[in-house]
Every structure is written in C-alpha cells, then in structure tokens.
Amino acid sequence: MFKYAITRTPGKDFASGITTVDFGKPNYQLILAQHENYKNILKNLGLQIINLEPLDAFPDSYFVEDTAIVMPELAIITNPGADSRKGEVPTIRAELSKHKEIEEIIAPGTVDGGDVFFADKRFFVGISKRTNEEGARQLSHIVKKYGYTSSLITVPSGLHLKCFVNYVGRGYILTTEEFANHEALQDYKIIVLAKGEEYASNTLLVNNHLIMPEGFPKTMEALKVLEMPIITINNSECRKMDGALTCMSLRF
Ligand code: CIR
C-alpha cells in the first residue's frame, strides 16, 4: 500500500512546457483546480501528500514522475531525456532522500520515469525519445541488485511507454493494440484498449483503486474485470501538455 505521494503545484508558466499535441490553449486556473482534485483523490485513498512549490523556469516540473523511480527498497533519481527538464531533479532528490536510499542514472544515460513501471519483481523500461539504451542499462543494473528483472520495450512513436502500456493490478496489463503482443508482456492478462481510447492506457493503480481519465467508457467497462473501484478524473489541462495521470505524482 502506498503511504505518500510527492506532487508539485503547476507553475504559472506551465503552458510553455513541451507538448506535441494540440487540444487548445491550456488554462491556469483550471489546471490548478484539476491538480487539487487529483491530490484530494490520492488523499482520500489514504496517501499523505507532499506537495512541492512550483519550480520557476521549469514549466514541466509538476510532472514529477519523470524525475525518479520509487521502489520499496530505494529511489532512483533519473536523468530526464529533455534538456529543459534536467534542472527539476535536485529538489526531488532532496525530498526523496528524506525517505529512501538514493541511486542515480548518470549521463550519457537518460531515463524518464514515464518510461518505467514495475509489477512485483519485474521492471518494464521503454526505449523512447527520452530514455536511451544506456539509461535503461544503468536502471536494469541497479534494480537487479534488489532482485528485479527488466524487460526493454521499444516505443517507436509518442512520448513514453506509459502512454501505451500500464500495469493495472491483479496480473493485468492495459495496453494499445500496438503493444498487446509484445513478448515481454505475455505472462500477463492483457486488456487491449478500444480504438480511440488509447489515452486511457495511463490508468493509475493506487491502493486497490483505479484512477482513470474521464471520457473513456469502453475502457471503464473493460476494467470492471479487475473488480476494483474505479475513479474518473478530468485532466484536460495536463493532457494539453502531453501529460497523463501517472505523471503528476511519485507514489510510495
Ligand atoms: C514533457 O514533454 O516532458 C511534458 N510536457 C509531459 C511529461 C509527461 N510525463 C509523463 O508522461 N510521465
């Protein structure tokens, strides 16, 4: 069970972060309200929220997930793949050091937390625009010391692995058709997202509850097989900035 979530309030400059999508102009008051709701949902699931102040000049810094991978045994500080995001790391390192032993991914290795998830003792690492093979190699080496295996999954387009593939608990992976037959996933039960609902792949498992973005009825129906309560959330503004639900917290 998770006890804590690190989050960060979006800064006034959040709309100048990196994005590849065009869903319209992001609204600051609205993202603040949606971020507040996100934190409240986590709080209601029993997590203590450690909310950090906005980080000036780092408009993507509320996507805290990309800066670290937090495991029961330790936290691995990443070296984010986008240059404009590397400066987000020191404040996250300072916070996580209060809770966990720390290891680090170092250059030339790059890793974004959005490319990484683990289920029990297995890690899955996306090789993407942000996470390179050297970063994945360092990560695999670190987690192996704690008894974890790692599988690499190439992400040919899009941002991160977790835009397409996520572990949703009880042996189930939620993924797009593109990854459904990937050999690394074949020990799992696979739920394939319906066409047009790919964004719902980024569904967040927290303390036996599933938190999913609003507006994906087929996915919601399919997830009922897990017999877990499902909470939906409107995260329209973070989506405009290429973000999704897992990105906005580090849970441990
Ligand atoms: C970026 O491009 O880095 C941010 N605008 C979005 C990061 C989303 N993070 C995530 O999926 N873990």
Side-chain angles (χ1 to χ4, degrees), residues 4 36 45 64 68 74 101 121 125-126 132 171 185 194-195 202 205 229 235:
Y4 299 97
E36 206 54 40
L45 295 179
V64 289
L74 79 158
E101 292 296 315
K121 297 299 262 186
V125 186
N132 64 16
L185 305 176
K195 287 238 168 3
N202 195 276
L205 170 66
N235 66 331

PDB file of all heavy atoms in Angstrom, residues 4 36 45 64 68 74 101 121 125-126 132 171 185 194-195 202 205 229 235:
ATOM      1  N   TYR A   4       2.614   7.628   0.711  1.00  0.00           N
ATOM      2  CA  TYR A   4       2.935   9.017   0.355  1.00  0.00           C
ATOM      3  C   TYR A   4       2.791   9.247  -1.147  1.00  0.00           C
ATOM      4  O   TYR A   4       3.008   8.334  -1.948  1.00  0.00           O
ATOM      5  CB  TYR A   4       4.401   9.339   0.699  1.00  0.00           C
ATOM      6  CG  TYR A   4       4.736   9.199   2.150  1.00  0.00           C
ATOM      7  CD1 TYR A   4       5.324   8.013   2.623  1.00  0.00           C
ATOM      8  CD2 TYR A   4       4.489  10.230   3.050  1.00  0.00           C
ATOM      9  CE1 TYR A   4       5.640   7.871   3.957  1.00  0.00           C
ATOM     10  CE2 TYR A   4       4.811  10.091   4.390  1.00  0.00           C
ATOM     11  CZ  TYR A   4       5.383   8.915   4.837  1.00  0.00           C
ATOM     12  OH  TYR A   4       5.690   8.785   6.159  1.00  0.00           O
ATOM     13  N   GLU A  36      -5.649  20.058  -7.776  1.00  0.00           N
ATOM     14  CA  GLU A  36      -6.178  19.980  -6.415  1.00  0.00           C
ATOM     15  C   GLU A  36      -7.062  18.733  -6.275  1.00  0.00           C
ATOM     16  O   GLU A  36      -6.961  17.983  -5.302  1.00  0.00           O
ATOM     17  CB  GLU A  36      -7.011  21.255  -6.170  1.00  0.00           C
ATOM     18  CG  GLU A  36      -7.148  21.703  -4.747  1.00  0.00           C
ATOM     19  CD  GLU A  36      -5.829  21.876  -4.010  1.00  0.00           C
ATOM     20  OE1 GLU A  36      -4.838  22.376  -4.596  1.00  0.00           O
ATOM     21  OE2 GLU A  36      -5.790  21.481  -2.825  1.00  0.00           O
ATOM     22  N   LEU A  45      -7.572   8.199  -0.704  1.00  0.00           N
ATOM     23  CA  LEU A  45      -7.163   6.786  -0.763  1.00  0.00           C
ATOM     24  C   LEU A  45      -6.099   6.498   0.307  1.00  0.00           C
ATOM     25  O   LEU A  45      -5.462   5.444   0.285  1.00  0.00           O
ATOM     26  CB  LEU A  45      -6.638   6.441  -2.163  1.00  0.00           C
ATOM     27  CG  LEU A  45      -7.692   6.534  -3.276  1.00  0.00           C
ATOM     28  CD1 LEU A  45      -7.089   6.211  -4.632  1.00  0.00           C
ATOM     29  CD2 LEU A  45      -8.862   5.594  -2.996  1.00  0.00           C
ATOM     30  N   VAL A  64       6.147  15.298 -11.904  1.00  0.00           N
ATOM     31  CA  VAL A  64       7.236  14.821 -11.041  1.00  0.00           C
ATOM     32  C   VAL A  64       7.653  13.378 -11.340  1.00  0.00           C
ATOM     33  O   VAL A  64       8.780  12.984 -11.041  1.00  0.00           O
ATOM     34  CB  VAL A  64       6.863  14.940  -9.542  1.00  0.00           C
ATOM     35  CG1 VAL A  64       6.827  16.385  -9.106  1.00  0.00           C
ATOM     36  CG2 VAL A  64       5.513  14.266  -9.259  1.00  0.00           C
ATOM     37  N   ALA A  68      12.087  10.507 -11.111  1.00  0.00           N
ATOM     38  CA  ALA A  68      12.513   9.448 -10.171  1.00  0.00           C
ATOM     39  C   ALA A  68      11.694   8.183 -10.351  1.00  0.00           C
ATOM     40  O   ALA A  68      10.570   8.228 -10.865  1.00  0.00           O
ATOM     41  CB  ALA A  68      12.368   9.934  -8.731  1.00  0.00           C
ATOM     42  N   LEU A  74      14.323   1.546  -2.480  1.00  0.00           N
ATOM     43  CA  LEU A  74      15.132   2.746  -2.742  1.00  0.00           C
ATOM     44  C   LEU A  74      14.439   3.638  -3.762  1.00  0.00           C
ATOM     45  O   LEU A  74      13.407   3.260  -4.331  1.00  0.00           O
ATOM     46  CB  LEU A  74      16.526   2.364  -3.261  1.00  0.00           C
ATOM     47  CG  LEU A  74      16.651   1.984  -4.734  1.00  0.00           C
ATOM     48  CD1 LEU A  74      18.091   2.175  -5.179  1.00  0.00           C
ATOM     49  CD2 LEU A  74      16.228   0.561  -4.974  1.00  0.00           C
ATOM     50  N   GLU A 101      16.887   5.385   0.458  1.00  0.00           N
ATOM     51  CA  GLU A 101      18.238   5.353  -0.097  1.00  0.00           C
ATOM     52  C   GLU A 101      18.144   5.823  -1.539  1.00  0.00           C
ATOM     53  O   GLU A 101      17.126   5.587  -2.198  1.00  0.00           O
ATOM     54  CB  GLU A 101      18.780   3.918  -0.098  1.00  0.00           C
ATOM     55  CG  GLU A 101      19.052   3.346   1.275  1.00  0.00           C
ATOM     56  CD  GLU A 101      20.153   4.090   1.998  1.00  0.00           C
ATOM     57  OE1 GLU A 101      21.183   4.373   1.361  1.00  0.00           O
ATOM     58  OE2 GLU A 101      19.962   4.409   3.182  1.00  0.00           O
ATOM     59  N   LYS A 121       8.318  -8.192  -9.037  1.00  0.00           N
ATOM     60  CA  LYS A 121       9.773  -8.049  -9.172  1.00  0.00           C
ATOM     61  C   LYS A 121      10.209  -7.884 -10.627  1.00  0.00           C
ATOM     62  O   LYS A 121      11.336  -8.186 -10.991  1.00  0.00           O
ATOM     63  CB  LYS A 121      10.483  -9.270  -8.540  1.00  0.00           C
ATOM     64  CG  LYS A 121      10.261  -9.421  -7.054  1.00  0.00           C
ATOM     65  CD  LYS A 121      10.776  -8.245  -6.235  1.00  0.00           C
ATOM     66  CE  LYS A 121      12.145  -8.478  -5.639  1.00  0.00           C
ATOM     67  NZ  LYS A 121      12.542  -7.352  -4.733  1.00  0.00           N
ATOM     68  N   VAL A 125      10.874  -1.237 -19.168  1.00  0.00           N
ATOM     69  CA  VAL A 125      11.522   0.042 -19.460  1.00  0.00           C
ATOM     70  C   VAL A 125      11.356   0.363 -20.936  1.00  0.00           C
ATOM     71  O   VAL A 125      11.778  -0.417 -21.805  1.00  0.00           O
ATOM     72  CB  VAL A 125      13.029  -0.017 -19.111  1.00  0.00           C
ATOM     73  CG1 VAL A 125      13.666   1.366 -19.284  1.00  0.00           C
ATOM     74  CG2 VAL A 125      13.259  -0.546 -17.709  1.00  0.00           C
ATOM     75  N   GLY A 126      10.741   1.487 -21.231  1.00  0.00           N
ATOM     76  CA  GLY A 126      10.565   1.909 -22.621  1.00  0.00           C
ATOM     77  C   GLY A 126      11.817   2.591 -23.134  1.00  0.00           C
ATOM     78  O   GLY A 126      12.400   3.439 -22.449  1.00  0.00           O
ATOM     79  N   ASN A 132      17.200   6.393 -23.110  1.00  0.00           N
ATOM     80  CA  ASN A 132      18.076   5.730 -24.084  1.00  0.00           C
ATOM     81  C   ASN A 132      18.566   4.371 -23.547  1.00  0.00           C
ATOM     82  O   ASN A 132      18.311   4.011 -22.384  1.00  0.00           O
ATOM     83  CB  ASN A 132      19.220   6.658 -24.507  1.00  0.00           C
ATOM     84  CG  ASN A 132      20.171   7.021 -23.356  1.00  0.00           C
ATOM     85  OD1 ASN A 132      20.161   6.362 -22.319  1.00  0.00           O
ATOM     86  ND2 ASN A 132      20.965   8.065 -23.549  1.00  0.00           N
ATOM     87  N   GLY A 171      -2.500  -8.908 -12.055  1.00  0.00           N
ATOM     88  CA  GLY A 171      -1.970  -9.626 -13.213  1.00  0.00           C
ATOM     89  C   GLY A 171      -2.382  -9.066 -14.553  1.00  0.00           C
ATOM     90  O   GLY A 171      -2.173  -9.712 -15.587  1.00  0.00           O
ATOM     91  N   LEU A 185       5.279  -8.934 -22.430  1.00  0.00           N
ATOM     92  CA  LEU A 185       4.031  -8.805 -21.660  1.00  0.00           C
ATOM     93  C   LEU A 185       3.241 -10.102 -21.571  1.00  0.00           C
ATOM     94  O   LEU A 185       2.166 -10.144 -20.981  1.00  0.00           O
ATOM     95  CB  LEU A 185       3.143  -7.719 -22.302  1.00  0.00           C
ATOM     96  CG  LEU A 185       3.789  -6.339 -22.473  1.00  0.00           C
ATOM     97  CD1 LEU A 185       2.834  -5.396 -23.212  1.00  0.00           C
ATOM     98  CD2 LEU A 185       4.160  -5.746 -21.115  1.00  0.00           C
ATOM     99  N   ALA A 194      -9.738   0.000 -26.668  1.00  0.00           N
ATOM    100  CA  ALA A 194     -10.533   0.178 -27.903  1.00  0.00           C
ATOM    101  C   ALA A 194      -9.925   1.321 -28.717  1.00  0.00           C
ATOM    102  O   ALA A 194      -9.320   2.243 -28.151  1.00  0.00           O
ATOM    103  CB  ALA A 194     -11.967   0.507 -27.528  1.00  0.00           C
ATOM    104  N   LYS A 195     -10.120   1.263 -30.011  1.00  0.00           N
ATOM    105  CA  LYS A 195      -9.658   2.345 -30.901  1.00  0.00           C
ATOM    106  C   LYS A 195     -10.266   3.670 -30.450  1.00  0.00           C
ATOM    107  O   LYS A 195     -11.461   3.732 -30.129  1.00  0.00           O
ATOM    108  CB  LYS A 195     -10.084   2.068 -32.341  1.00  0.00           C
ATOM    109  CG  LYS A 195      -9.300   0.962 -32.997  1.00  0.00           C
ATOM    110  CD  LYS A 195      -8.597   1.462 -34.269  1.00  0.00           C
ATOM    111  CE  LYS A 195      -7.568   0.515 -34.846  1.00  0.00           C
ATOM    112  NZ  LYS A 195      -7.358  -0.763 -34.239  1.00  0.00           N
ATOM    113  N   ASN A 202      -3.143   5.206 -19.696  1.00  0.00           N
ATOM    114  CA  ASN A 202      -2.489   5.740 -18.498  1.00  0.00           C
ATOM    115  C   ASN A 202      -3.499   5.810 -17.349  1.00  0.00           C
ATOM    116  O   ASN A 202      -3.988   6.862 -16.962  1.00  0.00           O
ATOM    117  CB  ASN A 202      -1.860   7.106 -18.791  1.00  0.00           C
ATOM    118  CG  ASN A 202      -0.878   7.489 -17.696  1.00  0.00           C
ATOM    119  OD1 ASN A 202      -1.272   8.021 -16.668  1.00  0.00           O
ATOM    120  ND2 ASN A 202       0.380   7.183 -17.892  1.00  0.00           N
ATOM    121  N   LEU A 205      -3.011   2.801 -10.730  1.00  0.00           N
ATOM    122  CA  LEU A 205      -3.399   1.862  -9.667  1.00  0.00           C
ATOM    123  C   LEU A 205      -2.891   2.387  -8.327  1.00  0.00           C
ATOM    124  O   LEU A 205      -1.682   2.536  -8.137  1.00  0.00           O
ATOM    125  CB  LEU A 205      -2.767   0.492  -9.975  1.00  0.00           C
ATOM    126  CG  LEU A 205      -2.839  -0.573  -8.887  1.00  0.00           C
ATOM    127  CD1 LEU A 205      -4.281  -1.011  -8.623  1.00  0.00           C
ATOM    128  CD2 LEU A 205      -1.978  -1.789  -9.270  1.00  0.00           C
ATOM    129  N   PRO A 229     -12.710  -0.632  -7.299  1.00  0.00           N
ATOM    130  CA  PRO A 229     -13.412   0.633  -7.527  1.00  0.00           C
ATOM    131  C   PRO A 229     -12.661   1.474  -8.561  1.00  0.00           C
ATOM    132  O   PRO A 229     -11.430   1.498  -8.559  1.00  0.00           O
ATOM    133  CB  PRO A 229     -13.386   1.318  -6.156  1.00  0.00           C
ATOM    134  CG  PRO A 229     -13.059   0.237  -5.176  1.00  0.00           C
ATOM    135  CD  PRO A 229     -12.277  -0.805  -5.908  1.00  0.00           C
ATOM    136  N   ASN A 235      -8.686  15.501 -16.484  1.00  0.00           N
ATOM    137  CA  ASN A 235      -7.329  16.075 -16.505  1.00  0.00           C
ATOM    138  C   ASN A 235      -7.039  16.718 -17.867  1.00  0.00           C
ATOM    139  O   ASN A 235      -5.955  16.611 -18.417  1.00  0.00           O
ATOM    140  CB  ASN A 235      -6.266  15.028 -16.138  1.00  0.00           C
ATOM    141  CG  ASN A 235      -6.146  13.943 -17.153  1.00  0.00           C
ATOM    142  OD1 ASN A 235      -7.113  13.617 -17.825  1.00  0.00           O
ATOM    143  ND2 ASN A 235      -4.969  13.368 -17.303  1.00  0.00           N
TER     144      ASN A 235
END
